[in-house]
Amino acid sequence: MVEWTDFERATIADIFSKMSYETVGPAALTRCLIVYPWTQRYFGNFGNLYNAAAIMGNPNVAKHGTTILHGLDRAVKNMDDIKGTYAELSVLHSEKLHVDPDNFKLLADCLTVVVAAQFGKAFTGEVQAAFQKFLAVVVSSLGRQYH
Amino acid sequence: MSLTEKDKATVKALWGKISKSSDAIGADALGRMLVVYPQTKTYFTHWSDLSPNSAPVKNHGKNVMSGVALAVSKIDDLTAGLLDLSEQHAFTLRVDPANFKILSHCILVVLAIMFPKEFTPEVHVAMDKFFCGVSLALSEKYR
């Protein structure tokens, strides 16, 4: 089981309470599709992903980005059993969506960059460490049911 | 995943805007790395103080960024341009190359914090590719 310090719990709760899911989600997914273009392989039916401008204006990307963030919310609310919380989602990503689990880390890194930009100087090293630890647990849990 | 002419132009344009803050960028990135990735502290046991904004961290952050500046100036041939630094990292410092990725990530996070408007996704991908190129050039002499 993952051990969380009080600081880590408070930091994660704080970050997500101050986040606009409709802004951060789309921004993170958009950034991921641009910075790591091979991730576009999973979104063949999303329409025009031809260039950065198209990706940034694509409503399917925006909608899915928001969906992903709301999915993260479940981990925020169940920090003591993220593995259990994501068991079903892990099966989904493995069996149905066939997503290479390495991609989860790429999206996590983009999310870190977007949150850093929003929080500015408040995103200290300690806050970053807590946020990245949280995302690492999420990433690990999402990859857990792959076989 | 080599740098296109557009990537090089993007990197140089961003560097033009951020280079006067390079000391601050280096200090923050390094300080942050030591906190977020505690295993990196193993390379700095000879420092009296590993906390962010300590003198050794600030000083070394400056060193790292002057390496980045050199890389920008040698962007057309990073391998040749960073040969001496590669030898230093390979034979003297013996930093595990996995750590280049870690520090690169921390620099990108600092750029997002300090220059949120400039650090668009297009700039991000060019800088990520650039740091991958720098890391590769630094690993050149390892074996």
Side-chain angles (χ1 to χ4, degrees):
Chain A
M1 216 193 70
V2 183
E3 307 255 339
W4 301 100
T5 64
D6 291 340
F7 172 79
E8 285 164 348
R9 287 182 195 272
T11 299
I12 299 307
D14 185 58
I15 289 176
F16 279 85
S17 72
K18 295 192 169 118
M19 208 192 272
S20 155
Y21 289 26
E22 287 75 26
T23 309
V24 171
L29 183 60
T30 295
R31 194 167 281 259
C32 187
L33 295 170
I34 292 171
V35 178
Y36 308 109
W38 53 93
T39 56
Q40 292 169 26
R41 76 189 304 280
Y42 301 109
F43 302 102
N45 59 344
F46 267 34
N48 188 0
L49 298 178
Y50 201 55
N51 53 37
I55 294 171
M56 291 196 272
N58 187 313
N60 289 319
V61 172
K63 182 157 168 273
H64 196 63
T66 308
T67 301
I68 293 174
L69 248 283
H70 282 297
L72 272 181
D73 207 44
R74 292 165 58 185
V76 176
K77 297 191 160 67
N78 290 286
M79 279 177 74
D80 288 315
D81 186 19
I82 296 180
K83 192 168 80 179
T85 303
Y86 281 149
E88 251 185 74
L89 267 176
S90 178
V91 169
L92 176 79
H93 281 76
S94 161
E95 312 275 293
K96 184 152 176 276
L97 305 174
H98 307 296
V99 178
D100 181 341
D102 284 350
N103 290 283
F104 302 147
K105 179 146 198 323
L106 300 181
L107 181 59
D109 282 351
C110 287
L111 188 56
T112 300
V113 165
V114 170
V115 169
Q118 182 188 324
F119 280 72
K121 289 219 149 47
F123 199 68
T124 62
E126 284 85 355
V127 169
Q128 182 180 345
F131 191 61
Q132 290 197 194
K133 177 176 167 179
F134 170 75
L135 289 179
V137 173
V138 167
V139 164
S140 165
S141 304
L142 275 177
R144 191 73 179 70
Q145 305 303 327
Y146 279 64
H147 63 95
Chain B
M1 289 202 267
S2 49
L3 293 168
T4 62
E5 289 311 310
K6 182 164 171 248
D7 291 329
K8 293 180 194 174
T10 304
V11 170
K12 288 190 213 170
L14 183 72
W15 185 252
K17 292 185 193 142
I18 70 176
S19 58
K20 56 181 165 344
S21 310
S22 73
D23 287 359
I25 295 170
D28 191 348
L30 197 68
R32 192 173 282 275
M33 180 190 79
L34 296 167
V35 168
V36 180
Y37 303 95
Q39 69 271 21
T40 57
K41 292 194 288 189
T42 55
Y43 290 98
F44 304 105
T45 51
H46 55 288
W47 285 355
S48 52
D49 186 354
L50 285 157
S51 55
N53 280 313
S54 66
V57 170
K58 275 171 137 152
N59 192 43
H60 196 62
K62 229 166 125 172
N63 282 344
V64 168
M65 292 312 281
S66 60
V68 173
L70 175 67
V72 175
S73 73
K74 305 284 184 185
I75 202 167
D76 290 316
D77 190 351
L78 288 170
T79 309
L82 298 178
L83 210 57
D84 286 346
L85 273 174
S86 180
E87 286 189 355
Q88 189 190 10
H89 283 74
F91 302 122
T92 312
L93 304 172
R94 288 180 286 198
V95 175
D96 189 313
N99 293 288
F100 301 151
K101 219 168 189 275
I102 287 176
L103 181 57
S104 298
H105 172 70
C106 290
I107 295 175
L108 293 179
V109 169
V110 171
L111 294 182
I113 289 173
M114 288 176 68
F115 305 96
K117 288 202 168 57
E118 287 84 349
F119 199 62
T120 60
E122 288 106 317
V123 168
H124 181 164
V125 61
M127 291 306 289
D128 192 41
K129 286 175 76 176
F130 170 67
F131 283 119
C132 285
V134 170
S135 303
L136 196 62
L138 277 179
S139 322
E140 180 67 23
K141 299 306 245 171
Y142 270 66
R143 55 175 178 174

